[in-house]
Amino acid sequence: MSDFGPAELLTGLCHTDEENPFPLWQNGHIGACFNQLVLGALPHAGMAIFSACYLSMARYTSPPCGWTLRLVSALLAVLLFTADVILVSILQQDDMYLDLLSDCCAILAWLVHFSAIIVLQKTAFRRTRGPPLLFLLVLLSAPNLVITLMVYCETEGYLNLTEPLKLARFVLASARTLPVLVYLLAFVFPCISDAGYALHVNMVDGSPLIQESIQQDTGEIVAEDSSGCISRLFYLWLTPLLRRGQRGELERPADVCHLPRKLRTQVVCRYFHQWDVGLLRVLHKAFSLRYYMLGVLKVVVNMLSFTGPLLLSSLVNFMEEEGAPVSIGAWCALGLFVTTLLSSVLRNIFVFEVSKVALSARAALVSAIYSKALRVSGSSLTGFTLGEVVNLMSTDTDRVGNFFSSFHELWSLPFRFSITLYLLYLQVGVAFLSGLGVALLLVPFNKFLASRILSNNKDMLRHKDSRVKLMTEILFGIRVIKFYNWEPHFTQKVAERRKQELSHLKAIKYLDAMCVYTWAALPVVISILTFVTYVMLGNQLTAAKVFTTLALVGMLIIPLNCFPWVLNGILEAKVSLERIQRFFKLTNQDLQAYYALDSQTSVLLSQGTFSWQSPGAPDPSKEGEGSLVVVVGKAGCGKSSLLAALTGELNRLSGVVYVADREAGFGLAAQEPWIQHASVRANILFGKDYDPHFYQAVIEACALSDDLNVLPNGDKTEVGENGVTLSGGQKARLALARAVYMDKDIYLLDDPLAAVDTDVAEHLMQKCIMELLRGKTRILCTHRIEFVDKADLMVLMDNGTIIKTGSPAEILPLVEAVPKKRKNDHNAKEKGDVQLPEIPLLHLHYISQRNCCCVFSFFLCGSASKNISDWWLSHWISELKNNGSTTSNASFTGSFGSSHLLLFSPGGLMYVHMSPLHSLQTSPSSNMSSDVKFYLMVYSSIAAANTVFTALRAFLFAYGAICAATAIHNRLLDRILKATVSFFDTTPLGRILNRFSSDLYSVDDSLPFILNILLANIFGLLGMLVVMSYGLPWVLLPLLPLALLYHRTQHFYRHTSRELKRLYSLTLSPIYSHFSETLTGLGTIRASGSSIRFEEESAKRLEQNQRCLFLSNAAMQWLDIRLQLIGVAVVTGLAVIAVVQHQFRSVDPGLVGLSLSYALSITTLLSGLIFSFTQTEMQLVSVERTEEYSTGLPTEPQHQNAQLPASWPERGLLEFRGAVLAYRDGLPNALDGVSLVVRPGEKVGIVGRTGSGKSTLFLALFRMVELNQGQILLDGLDISTVGLGQLRSRLAIIPQDPFLFSGTIRENLDPCGCQSDQQLLDVLDQCHLSSVVSRMGGLDAEAGERGKFFSVGQRQLLCLARAFLTRSKVLCIDEATASVDQKTDKLLQQTIREEFREQTVLTIAHRINTIMDCDRVLVMCGGKVAEFDTPTALLQSDSSIFHRLVGGGATERH
């Protein structure tokens, strides 16, 4: 009994020989044991198990008749098998126990299935065909029935009337076909009267699997939750979404399924509260158990990966042995089927579960970064630019997510490497050390290449960041660039940075090509050396040993090749974790410590010293409840900093700050209005409920009624990014309305009157600040001193210090007495640090036609030469076997085929052959016959050719990438800078910047990389199919239907995958734009106490994006598992065909080994092909997006007037003739029939209500927007006939929004370097900025990002200095001194009058006193000329609009 084992058990059960206990083929047909156990008992056991899974489902009523037929069929089958058991027991034949085992399994299976049908027809499945798996299991039992009937027909006695019991068994077997046939027909034709039936997979909610006329909304389905194990394993729960995607109905993010509960953002974020303990520790605590358990699964998957080569070895051994029992081949084929199936399923589960952990970590990190940004102190945040903080949320969180897939590879790769070496040792003994030695010697060389790539990459990223930053500023300041005709200069600046970037990119591409080439050549070198050494040690090679060793060498290369990249990914994640941790360690706002605990007043500030970064000066101040406090002082004196000190945005170094009811927040209207990308109403409500009466009161008090009437959709009109579609005054009043609607007790108003004209300013002061906000504590910073007499308290500031507080009567004389030349200190404050995310950026695309042809040719030649070399190997093995050659022949075989496996390894898609001549010189020539030398020369030639083709392909691809990168960026930049201003007004700047960052990165780097892989996959697959078909022609039979299935599967997948990726991109931008918007308006959000609402909004946007990302990952795994199953079918089919052909002795072991070694990796190749194809499609979207901007943007006219005199315009005579202008179709006319003449050298002041068309006059003059009708003449010449560059370079303007570029003061004043330093210093002195600039360090001092080192008023003065330098005959000033105190304004007006005596000057002003000494005044109203005369003449007319404006201002002053 001690020797009794599985073989003896089978021998006893099947009555077979001990040498062949489990024959597949017996007496001319399939063996009885195989038929009854594998084709009979096994499917019935599966039917029983899976039917049992449906026994506990919820019940409904009234099943259709199709279910009844299936129920009757199952019961009938039970009865027929029971009768057969009785007959078998009576007959007692040799195989009685085998038949009893098979019949009992069938009875059990059909009984459980009968019970499952009873349950299913009363569940959510009742209106469907039911689970297709059960249908498949019933179908699998059919072959057993057919073979049994065939055996009965050929066996004596079963058709003989003299043996009634045997005849009865034949009749029963025939009768069993009836219930099976009825069952299958009932499934195919379910007899459901309602045509709208559907398969359901989610057993609770009944979500449909296959939808026809009635579809449940996929947006209501919860992904995965409530799905059965089979549904989860094969992603059946995803089918409704895939169907919807195929129909093209995935249009909105809301159409995709909800996340499973465990992956929802609010559930995941429960783990993340304390960041001070270390980010890595928190991640470990949150995900460790679940994540580390996946490591066990990874071990199993790794172990299963080794079974393929070992079973291949056994199968080839079986092929070489002519008299081998067929059962050995059958067992090998079955083993290949089971191990490849199991490996595929487990690997799929592992990848999907790891992606879930990464998804959870991403949600937690993004939420935590957003939450931290809302709480961090203002002074701490100054160490980060906005782009850096947004990068933490984008790039760094993605890198941390990649860590989760890299970590298991980090320990898994050395583990696989060790096992592979051991298996190689078992195959070829110590001979493997020679090949391994070469591989280890290549590591230092590869390390050198990697270090060079890394250093070049750092330099390239530095230049890239610099270029993206410059591009961001160009887009923000595009109006200034166009006004001053600076496009050529900035094009050159960007081109210089791009050139530096490309120089490093070129080095990276060529080094990368070298790196890939060396690794691709490595497998051939290892195998050559290994086989040569093996033969020289006196051993003999066989086909099985060769192919097994080659398979193992391929597996050895994967860890060596992947490990550097895995390590690099982990190091990148480590750097990103440190960057995020550094952000988390920033000091939070501690409002409890910042504010004093109690006071009798509304606001108290006593002996306070505050700083943004460095110490400030004491600020004693006290405000009573319900009072109006006005803060005055020159530009840059610290007014805005005082308000920031009250809101807690500054560091309190000493003193006391108290604010009553701080938790309720402030109503803050910042100096630079922060407008959300939303409707006017949404901006005003700011998350509060809509109260129509109060809302209307706010609208009227903030003078917005007329503006809302003009807007296309009233208060539902979208205002665009940063309020781009509104004028400066409208933005200021909208921000004020938002603050007022908050209904707070304390209001901080930072110069809301600066950007509006006098009558509107008077309206705001009276109706809003004095009446609607009566009873509130109001602190108003302003330069409009005509309104300050209404203040309860007045505060005078200078140089960051409160000089005096008192009544208006006490303070006003001091304001007038400020020395003329004294200017304020540099104030290290400013908000508005606005920069869009610096998204990684790069380059590639159009390769020349000749280059494309060369690359494709080398791909084809490389693939063909590789396949020919592999065929040559199998041919040589056949010759070796036929001729009985030994050592010398074997030494050649090793030299010959090792390359082919790298192509099919998961990480290796590029394959090359290195010439083996060098390696084979180690073998003594005396050991080689002339035949061996001949084969060796042929192989060496093929391998050398393959090496050359691959090298040429790699380097040509790199060259093409560089050429394309240069061309596409230059075209895009040129087109963007030539685009019309209306394009920038209607397009979010983030979208344009994405073209220069993420889209160009895809085109530059991602596209060539993935395209290279796609082409390698395509040619590799074609070569594989040719070789497999040549080796085993019968494989074409299963390949054709599998090819059709493959095509349908990938077609079904690609539609939805593309839509899901589009929706993912669509939902990603709002997360980053919302974060950027939050950081820009952080002061307003925190002051108003709206942080929690913004957090909830961010979480909502993140959840939407996570849904799309999760389903995109799931769709990829849906495809992967199906492709894996196709691969399993190919491998099994090949093995079965090989075994069958072996029985007919018509098979070549070499070709079988070659075909199977290809087939083992076909799954990876098919999966890689779809992945690379889909990724290429996705990257091509970026090409389309850049191409759309490169060719489809509306551009400004580019013609030039060759006859234009160099001195034009000589006089400055300006004439408008019936000018009509609308910004866009559908909008009202901004200018409506304007006709006027401005005489040469005349000074014209332009006034009018906000939105009356004042600034539009300038836009029309500079042709920023073309006229719809009419003409504008300059010195009698129609400006539409002049080139834009010619026109704008002869005019000068100081725009309404002061914009500075980051860089030195010299670069901001004179970007083109045309002026001397002395001229620059003189103009700064004229603008009263010389003392400020000298304190900062002179002309080479940095202005900061968007001029943040200057106050708003100082920025306006710098823009004025720019205009002074142009010395044009026509100067346009658009409210250029709104943020400057009145005394400085008077000095500037005097300077303008003196310096521009001979020039024509047009001045838009809201301060009436600014234009009182103009020659004439133009009053605009509704886009028309309302009045145009001298100030004196207009003042004499009581009906004059100008008279009313001046009267209002005078009343307020006196």
Side-chain angles (χ1 to χ4, degrees):
M1 289 296 290
S2 59
D3 294 334
F4 189 78
E8 286 72 18
L9 176 65
L10 283 173
T11 301
L13 185 66
C14 302
H15 290 277
T16 52
D17 297 334
E18 290 187 7
E19 292 181 3
N20 188 12
F22 192 69
L24 176 64
W25 197 260
Q26 201 174 26
N27 302 325
H29 49 72
I30 288 175
C33 203
F34 183 82
N35 179 41
Q36 295 289 57
L37 292 180
V38 177
L39 300 182
L42 197 60
H44 284 127
M47 187 196 299
I49 292 167
F50 289 110
S51 296
C53 295
Y54 295 95
L55 294 179
S56 60
M57 296 185 61
R59 312 294 174 85
Y60 299 95
T61 54
S62 64
C65 64
W67 283 100
T68 308
L69 286 173
R70 288 157 71 181
L71 191 70
V72 171
S73 299
L75 183 59
L76 184 58
V78 170
L79 296 173
L80 290 172
F81 275 109
T82 305
D84 194 54
V85 166
I86 295 168
L87 289 174
V88 169
S89 303
I90 296 170
L91 276 169
Q92 293 194 351
Q93 293 175 304
D94 290 343
D95 54 0
M96 177 180 76
Y97 294 108
L98 183 63
D99 288 341
L100 284 175
L101 177 63
S102 177
D103 284 351
C104 289
C105 278
I107 291 168
L108 178 64
W110 283 104
L111 272 174
V112 177
H113 192 63
F114 175 78
S115 306
I117 292 173
I118 292 175
V119 173
L120 285 170
Q121 66 180 356
K122 296 181 180 179
T123 66
F125 286 104
R126 68 193 185 285
R127 305 301 299 167
T128 74
R129 291 187 173 97
L133 178 67
L134 299 183
F135 167 78
L136 183 64
L137 290 168
V138 172
L139 196 61
L140 284 176
S141 67
N144 168 253
L145 181 58
V146 173
I147 291 167
T148 302
L149 286 171
M150 289 171 62
V151 170
Y152 285 174
C153 288
E154 294 175 10
T155 305
E156 187 179 349
Y158 281 93
L159 297 178
N160 194 341
L161 294 174
T162 59
E163 297 189 39
L165 292 179
K166 287 187 177 182
L167 182 62
R169 285 199 71 194
F170 175 74
V171 172
L172 285 175
S174 304
R176 287 206 300 272
T177 59
L178 178 64
V180 172
L181 191 60
V182 170
Y183 186 99
L184 298 178
L185 287 172
F187 185 90
V188 175
F189 305 103
C191 306
I192 297 172
S193 56
D194 178 9
Y197 63 88
L199 280 171
H200 288 71
V201 291
N202 285 23
M203 298 166 190
V204 172
D205 60 20
S207 55
L209 175 62
I210 298 175
Q211 303 173 338
E212 299 191 13
S213 59
I214 297 176
Q215 297 95 24
Q216 182 177 345
D217 186 7
T218 50
E220 298 173 4
I221 298 175
V222 178
E224 265 200 321
D225 287 355
S226 304
S227 297
C229 59
I230 299 300
S231 176
R232 285 169 179 255
L233 191 61
F234 295 104
Y235 304 91
L236 300 180
W237 53 267
L238 196 61
T239 310
L241 190 75
L242 292 168
R243 290 277 181 196
R244 185 166 186 167
Q246 190 184 33
R247 294 194 302 269
E249 294 175 4
L250 277 181
E251 296 172 354
R252 302 169 301 126
D255 292 336
V256 303
C257 308
H258 291 278
L259 285 171
R261 186 183 174 281
K262 286 183 180 178
L263 294 181
R264 290 182 187 168
T265 306
Q266 63 185 86
V267 175
V268 170
C269 291
R270 290 175 189 167
Y271 300 111
F272 290 76
H273 297 299
Q274 297 179 327
W275 295 99
D276 52 340
V277 297
L279 179 56
L280 198 57
R281 205 173 297 173
V282 176
L283 286 169
H284 170 78
K285 184 180 177 183
F287 302 115
S288 58
L289 181 64
R290 176 178 164 199
Y291 184 62
Y292 297 148
M293 286 299 292
L294 291 173
V296 179
L297 191 60
K298 183 69 173 173
V299 172
V300 177
V301 170
N302 283 342
M303 296 306 293
L304 284 169
S305 66
F306 293 106
T307 58
L310 298 178
L311 286 167
L312 171 63
S313 173
S314 301
L315 190 60
V316 175
N317 274 328
F318 164 75
M319 295 294 158
E320 288 188 312
E321 192 177 339
E322 289 188 7
V326 71
S327 59
I328 295 175
W331 278 115
C332 287
L334 184 62
L336 279 170
F337 167 72
V338 172
T339 54
T340 51
L341 178 64
L342 200 57
S343 176
S344 299
V345 170
L346 293 180
R347 185 185 293 113
N348 183 274
I349 292 170
F350 171 78
V351 171
F352 190 48
E353 290 302 318
V354 166
S355 76
K356 286 185 190 177
V357 176
L359 199 76
S360 301
R362 175 179 182 261
L365 281 172
V366 170
S367 301
I369 290 169
Y370 189 89
S371 178
K372 178 69 179 180
L374 286 174
R375 287 163 178 75
V376 71
S377 66
S379 57
S380 298
L381 202 55
T382 54
F384 288 82
T385 65
L386 184 138
E388 286 173 338
V389 181
V390 174
N391 267 344
L392 292 179
M393 185 181 276
S394 55
T395 309
D396 289 309
T397 51
D398 286 345
R399 282 178 168 182
V400 174
N402 293 337
F403 162 82
F404 287 96
S405 57
S406 298
F407 175 75
H408 280 311
E409 293 299 330
L410 184 66
W411 64 261
S412 155
L413 291 175
F415 171 75
R416 288 164 64 187
F417 187 71
S418 306
I419 299 290
T420 308
L421 287 180
Y422 176 69
L423 292 175
L424 270 174
Y425 172 73
L426 293 180
Q427 287 291 326
V428 293
V430 294
F432 82 91
L433 291 174
S434 58
L436 181 64
V438 173
L440 295 178
L441 283 174
L442 269 180
V443 171
F445 176 65
N446 203 58
K447 186 180 178 184
F448 165 75
L449 289 178
S451 65
R452 297 298 302 155
I453 289 173
L454 195 63
S455 62
N456 275 283
N457 198 41
K458 284 181 180 177
D459 292 334
M460 185 194 71
L461 290 176
R462 191 177 72 251
H463 292 304
K464 178 208 71 174
D465 288 343
S466 168
R467 180 175 59 80
V468 175
K469 186 177 180 183
L470 175 62
M471 204 64 226
T472 306
E473 293 195 330
I474 288 172
L475 293 175
F476 270 108
I478 191 68
R479 283 173 178 266
V480 173
I481 290 171
K482 286 186 177 291
F483 275 135
Y484 284 91
N485 192 40
W486 284 342
E487 293 100 324
H489 169 72
F490 278 96
T491 301
Q492 185 181 351
K493 281 187 75 173
V494 175
E496 286 170 2
R497 298 186 188 190
R498 176 69 170 171
K499 186 178 178 182
Q500 292 173 317
E501 184 186 347
L502 287 177
S503 67
H504 293 290
L505 182 75
K506 190 182 296 183
I508 290 170
K509 287 291 180 187
Y510 289 140
L511 285 168
D512 195 42
M514 176 65 71
C515 196
V516 167
Y517 174 71
T518 54
W519 278 108
L522 191 57
V524 89
V525 176
I526 291 177
S527 55
I528 287 169
L529 290 176
T530 301
F531 289 132
V532 168
T533 307
Y534 183 71
V535 170
M536 290 182 69
L537 289 173
N539 301 302
Q540 180 176 349
L541 287 174
T542 63
K545 198 171 288 292
V546 166
F547 283 112
T548 306
T549 304
L550 291 178
L552 290 170
V553 167
M555 295 182 73
L556 186 70
I557 295 303
I558 299 167
L560 284 172
N561 207 358
C562 294
F563 196 74
W565 304 109
V566 169
L567 199 59
N568 185 52
I570 287 177
L571 291 175
E572 281 185 348
K574 181 176 180 291
V575 171
S576 292
L577 277 170
E578 288 170 354
R579 280 160 51 92
I580 296 171
Q581 185 65 40
R582 185 164 64 91
F583 179 68
F584 283 139
K585 285 182 178 176
L586 294 181
T587 309
N588 281 1
Q589 275 189 327
D590 187 357
L591 300 182
Q592 290 185 337
Y594 188 87
Y595 293 104
L597 294 177
D598 195 20
S599 173
Q600 300 302 312
T601 57
S602 179
V603 177
L604 171 67
L605 186 62
S606 175
Q607 296 298 313
T609 306
F610 302 86
S611 77
W612 291 92
Q613 288 173 321
S614 56
D619 287 347
S621 178
K622 183 174 179 177
E623 289 89 41
E625 188 172 343
S627 59
L628 170 62
V629 179
V630 175
V631 183
V632 294
K634 291 179 295 184
C637 68
K639 300 184 294 297
S640 298
S641 296
L642 176 67
L643 299 187
L646 294 176
T647 59
E649 294 296 323
L650 267 63
N651 281 344
R652 180 175 62 82
L653 304 178
S654 64
V656 175
V657 186
Y658 171 76
V659 175
D661 196 14
R662 171 63 188 89
E663 292 75 17
F666 304 89
L668 175 66
Q671 186 176 19
E672 292 178 272
W674 174 64
I675 307 297
Q676 286 185 277
H677 184 42
S679 67
V680 172
R681 177 180 289 190
N683 266 285
I684 294 173
L685 297 181
F686 203 57
K688 289 179 68 72
D689 293 332
Y690 177 62
D691 179 349
H693 299 296
F694 184 52
Y695 179 80
Q696 196 55 42
V698 170
I699 292 292
E700 290 173 4
C702 295
L704 283 169
S705 301
D706 291 345
D707 300 283
L708 294 183
N709 292 335
V710 171
L711 292 174
N713 298 317
D715 65 356
K716 303 269 179 71
T717 305
E718 292 280 329
V719 295
E721 193 174 27
N722 296 321
V724 69
T725 53
L726 302 178
S727 70
Q730 287 170 329
K731 284 193 278 190
R733 285 180 285 122
L734 183 57
L736 179 63
R738 176 180 61 210
V740 173
Y741 194 83
M742 289 180 192
D743 197 22
K744 305 290 186 183
D745 292 328
I746 301 171
Y747 281 87
L748 308 178
L749 310 175
D750 195 353
D751 214 0
L753 309 178
V756 297
D757 50 65
T758 303
D759 61 334
V760 175
E762 181 188 352
H763 178 96
L764 293 177
M765 192 70 194
Q766 185 62 39
K767 299 291 184 184
C768 180
I769 298 172
M770 298 305 298
E771 292 182 9
L772 193 59
L773 298 180
R774 185 188 292 113
K776 312 279 189 183
T777 302
R778 294 145 291 163
I779 302 176
L780 171 68
C781 299
T782 186
H783 293 296
R784 306 292 285 266
I785 57 174
E786 61 263 36
F787 302 119
V788 301
D789 57 342
K790 299 180 180 181
D792 300 306
L793 181 70
M794 198 163 172
V795 177
L796 177 62
M797 294 192 70
D798 189 28
N799 196 23
T801 306
I802 294 178
I803 297 175
K804 187 174 178 59
T805 59
S807 66
E810 295 174 292
I811 302 299
L812 278 174
L814 296 175
V815 176
E816 296 296 329
V818 175
K820 288 185 179 182
K821 285 292 180 183
R822 184 176 170 199
K823 205 64 191 107
N824 51 295
D825 281 320
H826 164 58
N827 179 24
K829 82 159 189 71
E830 263 328 317
K831 34 208 172 286
D833 180 13
V834 182
Q835 175 187 339
L836 287 185
E838 295 180 8
I839 306 170
L841 180 335
L842 281 82
H843 57 299
L844 161 19
H845 185 30
Y846 303 154
I847 304 171
S848 68
Q849 192 171 1
R850 184 181 302 171
N851 200 23
C852 280
C853 292
C854 290
V855 171
F856 272 97
S857 301
F858 290 133
F859 260 114
L860 184 61
C861 294
S863 181
S865 59
K866 176 209 155 301
N867 293 132
I868 291 169
S869 70
D870 287 341
W871 168 80
W872 193 260
L873 171 62
S874 65
H875 172 68
W876 176 245
I877 287 173
S878 301
E879 290 296 310
L880 178 145
K881 180 170 178 285
N882 295 336
N883 299 336
S885 302
T886 57
T887 308
S888 61
N889 292 358
S891 70
F892 157 71
T893 57
S895 69
F896 164 37
S898 67
S899 59
H900 75 275
L901 261 135
L902 179 64
L903 170 63
F904 314 116
S905 62
L909 291 159
M910 310 197 188
Y911 41 90
V912 223
H913 288 56
M914 183 176 282
S915 172
L917 289 172
H918 159 74
S919 308
L920 287 167
Q921 286 169 3
T922 58
S923 178
S925 58
S926 59
N927 288 347
M928 293 190 185
S929 67
S930 58
D931 284 347
V932 172
K933 288 181 180 178
F934 165 71
Y935 281 113
L936 183 58
M937 287 301 296
V938 172
Y939 172 73
S940 300
S941 303
I942 296 170
N946 185 275
T947 303
V948 172
F949 293 145
T950 308
L952 287 171
R953 186 199 81 198
F955 285 96
L956 272 176
F957 226 91
Y959 171 75
I962 303 299
C963 293
T966 309
I968 204 165
H969 174 267
N970 291 346
R971 291 179 63 208
L972 183 63
L973 178 66
D974 181 63
R975 191 74 175 205
I976 287 290
L977 291 182
K978 287 178 180 175
T980 59
V981 174
S982 62
F983 165 74
F984 295 100
D985 288 345
T986 56
T987 309
L989 297 187
R991 187 182 301 166
I992 303 172
L993 192 64
N994 270 344
R995 300 296 192 278
F996 285 94
S997 50
S998 56
D999 284 332
L1000 268 182
Y1001 175 79
S1002 295
V1003 170
D1004 280 4
D1005 192 60
S1006 307
L1007 180 62
F1009 175 75
I1010 202 72
L1011 186 61
N1012 204 357
I1013 291 174
L1014 175 66
L1015 291 173
N1017 274 328
I1018 289 172
F1019 286 102
L1021 182 64
L1022 289 174
M1024 177 189 289
L1025 293 175
V1026 169
V1027 170
M1028 284 165 55
S1029 303
Y1030 174 76
L1032 290 171
W1034 285 102
V1035 81
L1036 289 172
L1037 286 177
L1039 273 182
L1040 290 174
L1042 285 175
L1044 291 173
L1045 181 62
Y1046 174 72
H1047 177 266
R1048 180 169 180 179
T1049 302
Q1050 61 87 21
H1051 185 71
F1052 188 51
Y1053 160 80
R1054 273 176 42 231
H1055 283 287
T1056 305
S1057 174
R1058 194 166 52 235
E1059 289 305 304
L1060 287 172
K1061 285 184 171 65
R1062 180 184 65 80
L1063 290 175
Y1064 169 70
S1065 300
L1066 198 69
T1067 54
L1068 188 61
S1069 296
I1071 296 175
Y1072 299 152
S1073 61
H1074 179 67
F1075 190 37
S1076 302
E1077 198 172 67
T1078 301
L1079 290 170
T1080 309
L1082 204 52
T1084 304
I1085 294 166
R1086 294 202 288 214
S1088 62
S1090 303
S1091 297
I1092 293 175
R1093 182 172 65 83
F1094 272 77
E1095 268 193 87
E1096 289 171 352
E1097 175 63 23
S1098 176
K1100 180 181 167 188
R1101 295 183 183 213
L1102 175 62
E1103 180 88 358
Q1104 195 81 281
N1105 180 249
Q1106 291 276 96
R1107 283 166 68 177
C1108 298
L1109 180 56
F1110 170 75
L1111 288 162
S1112 184
N1113 291 340
M1116 200 173 292
Q1117 296 311 307
W1118 178 95
L1119 174 73
D1120 181 71
I1121 192 66
R1122 281 152 179 79
L1123 294 185
Q1124 297 278 3
L1125 293 176
I1126 290 175
V1128 169
V1130 171
V1131 171
T1132 310
L1134 269 173
V1136 169
I1137 289 168
V1139 171
V1140 171
Q1141 283 195 303
H1142 177 264
Q1143 292 304 104
F1144 295 100
R1145 293 170 176 74
S1146 62
V1147 68
D1148 183 336
L1151 287 175
V1152 169
L1154 181 60
S1155 300
L1156 276 170
S1157 63
Y1158 273 47
L1160 281 175
S1161 43
I1162 194 170
T1163 306
T1164 308
L1165 192 59
L1166 290 175
S1167 184
L1169 183 62
I1170 289 297
F1171 175 76
S1172 56
F1173 188 84
T1174 308
Q1175 288 294 312
T1176 304
E1177 266 192 328
M1178 194 171 72
Q1179 301 300 339
L1180 283 172
V1181 171
S1182 295
V1183 178
E1184 289 172 356
R1185 281 154 58 97
T1186 53
E1187 186 66 8
E1188 175 196 0
Y1189 273 24
S1190 298
T1191 57
L1193 292 190
T1195 55
E1196 296 176 321
Q1198 299 301 312
H1199 70 272
Q1200 299 289 316
N1201 188 335
Q1203 283 77 41
L1204 188 71
S1207 58
W1208 179 87
E1210 296 178 5
R1211 301 163 59 210
L1213 172 65
L1214 182 62
E1215 181 179 358
F1216 283 74
R1217 291 183 180 173
V1220 176
L1221 183 148
Y1223 284 105
R1224 291 189 301 281
D1225 292 339
L1227 293 181
N1229 289 339
L1231 294 181
D1232 197 2
V1234 172
S1235 296
L1236 58 94
V1237 177
V1238 179
R1239 295 185 283 270
E1242 191 173 21
K1243 309 297 180 285
V1244 175
I1246 305 172
V1247 296
R1249 182 186 171 79
T1250 302
S1252 61
K1254 304 185 297 296
S1255 297
T1256 308
L1257 284 174
F1258 290 175
L1259 294 178
L1261 177 59
F1262 280 78
R1263 290 178 59 198
M1264 303 292 271
V1265 185
E1266 297 289 346
L1267 293 178
N1268 296 69
Q1269 294 176 30
Q1271 288 179 306
I1272 301 175
L1273 306 180
L1274 183 57
D1275 274 9
L1277 183 64
D1278 187 344
I1279 63 171
S1280 64
T1281 64
V1282 179
L1284 282 178
Q1286 295 171 316
L1287 173 67
R1288 291 169 184 170
S1289 62
R1290 315 290 173 91
L1291 303 173
I1293 188 169
I1294 308 165
Q1296 188 172 18
D1297 295 322
F1299 186 84
L1300 300 183
F1301 300 96
S1302 62
T1304 63
I1305 295 169
R1306 176 188 282 105
E1307 289 170 347
N1308 268 285
L1309 290 175
D1310 182 28
C1312 302
C1314 302
Q1315 311 289 337
S1316 68
D1317 282 8
Q1318 190 54 49
Q1319 287 174 304
L1320 299 180
L1321 291 171
D1322 289 345
V1323 82
L1324 286 172
D1325 189 55
Q1326 290 168 0
C1327 294
H1328 309 279
L1329 278 173
S1330 54
S1331 59
V1332 176
V1333 171
S1334 62
R1335 276 197 300 273
M1336 291 177 66
L1339 292 171
D1340 291 320
E1342 289 290 324
E1345 190 178 14
R1346 295 185 67 203
K1348 70 178 179 181
F1349 293 158
F1350 292 99
S1351 71
V1352 177
Q1354 290 166 338
R1355 286 182 229 167
Q1356 287 189 326
L1357 296 177
L1358 271 173
C1359 291
L1360 185 66
R1362 271 184 197 153
F1364 280 8
L1365 286 168
T1366 59
R1367 301 295 176 188
S1368 302
K1369 275 293 179 182
V1370 179
L1371 173 65
C1372 302
I1373 304 173
D1374 188 355
E1375 193 56 38
T1377 55
S1379 297
V1380 178
D1381 60 283
Q1382 293 213 352
K1383 189 66 181 176
T1384 307
D1385 186 24
K1386 288 179 182 177
L1387 295 171
L1388 289 173
Q1389 296 305 325
Q1390 181 65 33
T1391 304
I1392 291 169
R1393 280 193 294 275
E1394 292 171 1
E1395 295 294 327
F1396 291 87
R1397 284 189 303 274
E1398 306 297 326
Q1399 280 89 348
T1400 304
V1401 180
L1402 307 178
T1403 305
I1404 295 174
H1406 291 140
R1407 291 176 179 164
I1408 299 302
N1409 60 314
T1410 301
I1411 57 169
M1412 285 303 290
D1413 56 353
C1414 288
D1415 298 326
R1416 283 194 290 174
V1417 172
L1418 169 65
V1419 181
M1420 295 292 295
C1421 183
K1424 299 176 184 290
V1425 176
E1427 297 169 359
F1428 189 31
D1429 209 337
T1430 63
T1432 307
L1434 292 174
L1435 287 173
Q1436 289 173 352
S1437 170
D1438 292 339
S1439 61
S1440 164
I1441 299 173
F1442 184 69
H1443 179 82
R1444 291 203 301 275
L1445 287 173
V1446 174
T1451 303
E1452 297 302 331
R1453 284 192 299 274
H1454 306 295

